[in-house]
Amino acid sequence: MPVLVLDPNKAIRPDFASQDYVEVHNGMISEDIDKEVAIVLLVNAWNVNNAVEKVIWARQRRKQEDAQRENERQAQEENEQRMAVRGLEEEAARNKERKKYKNKYMDVSMAPPPMTPPKILSAYATTCLQKGLYVELWYFTNEGLDYALKTSTALDDDTVVQSIDKDGNAIWVTAAASKGSKTVQDNKNLLWEQLLVMIPRFLDAIHAAGWTNQRQDMMARLFMGLQAHPYRLSRDPLDRTTLLKYLSEQRRLWHQALDTGTGAWNIGLLSESLICAAGDSVHKEFFDQREAERNRMVSQVSLREELAC
């Protein structure tokens, strides 16, 4: 189908009776057709041709308008897709910023100031729990919380240092999460009163860190078993120290077994034989220290006597 350039609706029919069409008339005149008939035939032919062109023009215009609408629809769809992608990118950037600077975007309660400081774990202890690693229970005592409160704003969260994970790979972590307190106490050196304070905090912390229900239950049973053990109510302070030493050794060995992949055990089940072994070690350390102190005092007395002579 030919493509029309000019609108046939605006076409003006020629004057076929004018001198411009004399040669056309002469070519059409015959015995049956005179000049007037020739003019009528030319007018009729032009009208028919113009009517056909009008139909073609109308179809052509509809096709062009349909194509234009489709192009506009595609352009609008592409623009909406670009806007959607840009919106997702901007939302991702905002989420990244909110995560990076969480203190800046955190909702603030309209409550009055608290009477006591908030209980915040140190970044080091939190990081260890999130990784499922061993961490000293001292961090969950009142002293450990005081340390966390003093150091929580000492380092910028963006300050990172290079560290080594358990597989020997170099990783980047925050400076606050890469090292613990220099004043941390070993579990065996904790007071029993400190242990009672930190147990609920430790259990809440491992739950928040996403430890499995099985491991949470093991830890809860471990602490319950130690509190229910006969040594807990013993008049001999070394018996309570024995339980703390057992706790320290078992938690450390349990985590080491997990890290090395050799397989751990149900730490919630107390072993009386291992408790006895821990007791022997505690008593030996106690008597060794007392003997060393006695020898030190004897040496000081001997030295004073020698100086007096």
Side-chain angles (χ1 to χ4, degrees):
M1 181 180 296
V3 178
L4 301 180
V5 178
L6 300 177
D7 185 357
N9 296 287
K10 299 179 180 180
I12 299 176
R13 187 179 62 199
D15 183 7
F16 293 110
S18 65
Q19 293 297 321
D20 295 336
Y21 291 92
V22 172
E23 294 183 0
V24 178
H25 298 162
N26 294 335
M28 297 177 62
I29 293 174
S30 64
E31 294 180 358
D32 299 323
I33 300 175
D34 56 11
K35 180 179 179 180
E36 287 73 14
V37 174
I39 293 173
V40 172
L41 291 175
L42 289 173
V43 171
N44 291 339
W46 187 94
N47 289 337
V48 171
N49 184 69
N50 182 257
V52 172
E53 288 183 345
K54 287 180 179 179
V55 174
I56 295 174
W57 178 263
R59 292 177 179 174
Q60 183 175 299
R61 287 296 300 165
R62 285 197 297 270
K63 185 176 181 181
Q64 291 173 346
E65 291 172 355
D66 291 343
Q68 182 178 357
R69 283 194 294 269
E70 178 63 19
N71 291 336
E72 292 176 352
R73 187 194 65 78
Q74 292 181 358
Q76 182 179 359
E77 183 177 335
E78 291 175 358
N79 183 62
E80 292 176 352
Q81 290 178 351
R82 285 193 298 269
M83 294 297 294
V85 171
R86 182 182 301 176
L88 292 175
E89 292 175 348
E90 292 176 352
E91 181 63 21
R94 287 193 294 268
N95 290 336
K96 182 178 180 181
E97 183 176 358
R98 283 193 290 266
K99 184 177 181 181
K100 185 177 182 180
Y101 304 110
K102 57 183 179 180
N103 290 342
K104 176 181 177 182
Y105 295 96
M106 184 182 298
D107 292 336
V108 179
S109 172
M110 300 304 293
M115 299 301 296
T116 57
K119 296 179 175 59
I120 303 174
L121 289 179
S122 71
Y124 171 77
T126 302
T127 301
C128 288
L129 292 183
Q130 289 175 346
K131 295 180 179 180
L133 302 178
Y134 173 84
V135 62
E136 291 80 1
L137 297 177
W138 175 85
Y139 286 100
F140 304 90
T141 64
N142 291 333
E143 294 77 11
L145 295 183
D146 291 341
Y147 162 78
L149 189 61
K150 293 177 181 178
T151 59
S152 61
T153 58
L155 290 172
D156 189 345
D157 288 343
D158 290 337
T159 303
V160 294
V161 296
Q162 194 174 52
S163 181
I164 304 297
D165 64 11
K166 65 180 182 179
D167 297 324
N169 301 317
I171 57 174
W172 290 96
V173 297
T174 60
S178 64
K179 57 184 178 180
S181 170
K182 295 181 180 179
T183 60
V184 64
Q185 295 180 2
D186 190 276
N187 296 336
K188 65 180 181 180
N189 296 325
L190 294 176
L191 299 177
W192 194 265
E193 291 75 13
Q194 290 178 305
L195 183 70
L196 297 179
V197 169
M198 56 70 48
I199 288 176
R201 295 172 182 168
F202 177 80
L203 295 177
D204 288 342
I206 62 176
H207 175 75
W211 285 29
T212 63
N213 293 334
Q214 182 192 50
R215 296 189 181 189
Q216 293 183 51
D217 182 69
M218 287 182 182
M219 289 297 169
R221 290 181 181 277
L222 170 63
F223 292 125
M224 290 174 58
L226 292 175
Q227 293 182 75
H229 196 275
Y231 280 6
R232 164 70 178 86
L233 301 177
S234 173
R235 293 179 179 272
D236 187 352
L238 294 182
D239 287 343
R240 291 191 293 275
T241 303
T242 296
L243 296 179
L244 292 173
K245 183 176 180 61
Y246 172 85
L247 171 64
S248 175
E249 292 177 346
Q250 284 300 299
R251 286 189 63 247
R252 191 179 297 275
L253 291 173
W254 189 78
H255 279 282
Q256 288 176 351
L258 292 174
D259 291 339
T260 57
T262 57
W265 52 91
N266 186 356
I267 195 174
L269 298 177
L270 300 187
S271 172
E272 289 299 331
S273 59
L274 293 177
I275 291 177
C276 291
D280 293 341
S281 177
V282 167
H283 283 79
K284 183 178 184 304
E285 291 177 3
F286 174 77
F287 288 116
D288 288 346
Q289 291 177 0
R290 191 168 68 174
E291 181 66 19
E293 180 64 19
R294 190 186 69 81
N295 293 335
R296 185 183 65 80
M297 295 179 62
V298 170
S299 298
Q300 290 179 350
V301 171
S302 299
L303 179 59
R304 285 197 295 267
E305 291 177 350
E306 292 178 0
L307 294 176
C309 295

